[in-house]
Amino acid sequence: MDRDNVKNIIKARKKILEDSKNLFEKSYSGISKIPSGRASDKLTEGCLVLEGGAFRGLYTQGFLDALMLADINLSCVIGVSAGALGGANYVSGQIGRSARINLNYRADSRYIGKKALENSRSLLDVGFLTEDRGIIHETLDTIRFYRPEQRFVAVATNALNGETVYFEKGVCDDVIAGIRASATLPFVSPAYIIDGVPYFDGGCSCKIPYEWAIEQGYRKIMVIRTREKSFRNPSRRIQGSLKVYGRYPEFAEKIANSDINYNRQCDEIEKLQSDGQLKQFCPSRKPGIIMIERDLEKLGELYWLGYNDCQAQLDEIKTYLEI
């Protein structure tokens, strides 16, 4: 989604497929140092709002692991795309799981590349992370994930009308399907169908769902970003979306204006933080990776950036949450 135009997005899609021919099985050199364990059952009142960003989500995963290790488990989590995937793991209380899967399997073409395309008609197979296919050594703890005490929401975009849709655990019929819809990248993947309705990445219509948290009445809202605080996209319409998604004109319009809306959200979040209505946490330096990053060492560094950024602000976080 964070691309200059549709032509560049389609070109990137082709490059992913070409690169997959040369990928080989490997993992991040520091994989054994990723923390493990289970979060406690203790919940703190508040809402975590998790921005997406494909593999920039490794930053969020590091931040969330540090929160769990510090016994900070907020009562509500809402995430977009990679934020929904990482947020589900936070709700399941499995420290380090998201990072281990991404850093172990990034180079596996069943996840991203040729085999993913063959198995799921998409170059990025989200189901590789959300389903038990007998190939992942660490499956999602669904018993913990589905406990009713902790809310979880995955944000997706309805391709028929361009509207933002909130798939909430315990409210919708299949929240795992909602997570997959939330992480279905346009131009890279076909729409994900739920009950006959096509869905795409939640970031197409709402990249940072802080407004939902405010509307739900949460007093303590922590927004975890995957871009540095000063980042803004070029404020222009993304051209060509109507040509690709002509049968979904309202959805195409949302994509065309997504950068403009993102910048508006960033500005509003800063104002809301100044007014004390929420608190945002951003990478302390530019993430320095592309959305579909291949360099595992860079991805590992980004995980630790999130982890260390959180640890450095734990006192501030506890003060804000009044714990």
Side-chain angles (χ1 to χ4, degrees):
M1 282 295 293
D2 293 325
R3 322 281 179 87
D4 289 336
N5 51 52
V6 172
K7 185 181 291 185
N8 286 341
I9 294 172
I10 294 173
K11 186 185 296 183
R13 184 183 190 276
K14 291 178 178 178
K15 189 174 187 306
I16 293 170
L17 186 56
E18 291 170 1
D19 288 345
S20 71
K21 298 175 183 177
N22 301 317
L23 289 175
F24 53 90
E25 301 290 342
K26 63 177 182 178
S27 61
Y28 168 52
S29 64
I31 195 73
S32 63
K33 297 180 182 178
I34 301 295
S36 60
R38 295 300 181 108
S40 77
D41 291 332
K42 175 185 174 183
L43 293 178
T44 296
E45 185 64 24
C47 185
L48 268 179
V49 177
L50 307 178
E51 182 180 6
F55 278 95
R56 288 197 304 274
L58 263 297
Y59 177 85
T60 303
Q61 291 162 25
F63 204 103
L64 296 180
D65 282 349
L67 286 179
M68 287 190 281
L69 286 167
D71 203 22
I72 301 175
N73 307 296
L74 268 67
S75 60
C76 179
V77 180
I78 181 169
V80 175
S81 193
L85 288 164
N89 188 84
Y90 178 79
V91 173
S92 73
Q94 293 166 275
I95 299 167
R97 175 182 178 268
S98 283
R100 280 189 292 276
I101 290 176
N102 278 292
L103 295 174
N104 265 321
Y105 293 96
R106 168 60 187 91
D108 192 319
S109 69
R110 293 172 297 183
Y111 180 21
I112 299 176
K114 184 177 180 179
K115 291 182 180 178
L117 184 62
E118 293 172 352
N119 295 332
S120 68
R121 298 191 304 118
S122 171
L123 288 174
L124 193 158
D125 186 359
V126 174
F128 189 77
L129 302 181
T130 58
E131 299 173 2
D132 182 2
R133 300 184 179 179
I135 52 178
I136 304 254
H137 65 275
E138 200 171 355
T139 56
L140 187 73
D141 181 350
T142 53
I143 294 176
R144 169 74 175 260
F145 174 75
Y146 281 109
R147 66 174 182 160
E149 294 85 0
Q150 193 171 22
R151 296 178 73 184
F152 172 81
V153 181
V155 182
T157 303
N158 184 323
L160 296 178
N161 55 25
E163 295 298 316
T164 304
V165 179
Y166 303 95
F167 290 95
E168 181 168 358
K169 172 172 66 78
V171 176
C172 69
D173 291 335
D174 187 351
V175 72
I176 298 298
I179 294 171
R180 293 195 65 177
S182 178
T184 298
L185 296 172
F187 309 109
V188 173
S189 304
Y192 189 78
I193 309 298
I194 301 176
D195 295 332
V197 178
Y199 293 93
F200 282 106
D201 192 298
C204 298
S205 58
C206 179
K207 293 183 185 294
I208 315 172
Y210 61 91
E211 292 167 304
W212 180 91
I214 293 172
E215 291 168 0
Q216 292 291 308
Y218 285 99
R219 290 179 51 253
K220 301 296 182 180
I221 301 170
M222 288 177 54
V223 179
I224 312 301
R225 302 281 308 283
T226 57
R227 292 284 199 181
E228 65 275 21
K229 184 179 178 181
S230 62
F231 178 83
R232 298 293 186 275
N233 274 313
S235 293
R236 59 172 182 255
R237 283 171 57 89
I238 298 175
Q239 301 302 313
S241 58
L242 188 59
K243 184 178 293 186
V244 178
Y245 292 110
R247 59 177 174 160
Y248 303 136
E250 293 171 296
F251 174 68
E253 183 70 13
K254 282 289 177 71
I255 295 178
N257 290 301
S258 61
D259 284 351
I260 295 171
N261 290 331
Y262 176 71
N263 292 344
R264 175 192 61 78
Q265 287 190 314
C266 292
D267 293 341
E268 186 168 329
I269 285 171
E270 289 198 10
K271 183 178 185 303
L272 289 168
Q273 177 163 263
S274 297
D275 293 342
Q277 294 189 57
L278 55 73
K279 194 165 186 62
Q280 73 167 331
F281 298 87
C282 305
S284 55
R285 63 167 175 78
K286 185 176 180 180
I289 67 165
I290 60 175
M291 283 188 69
I292 309 296
E293 181 63 60
R294 295 183 63 213
D295 190 324
L296 287 162
E297 299 308 307
K298 284 185 178 181
L299 291 173
E301 289 174 7
L302 186 57
Y303 169 85
W304 287 113
L305 178 66
Y307 183 92
N308 291 327
D309 279 359
C310 180
Q311 284 209 320
Q313 299 171 92
L314 280 176
D315 288 343
E316 183 180 345
I317 291 169
K318 290 178 180 179
T319 298
Y320 174 68
L321 296 175
E322 300 177 0
I323 57 177

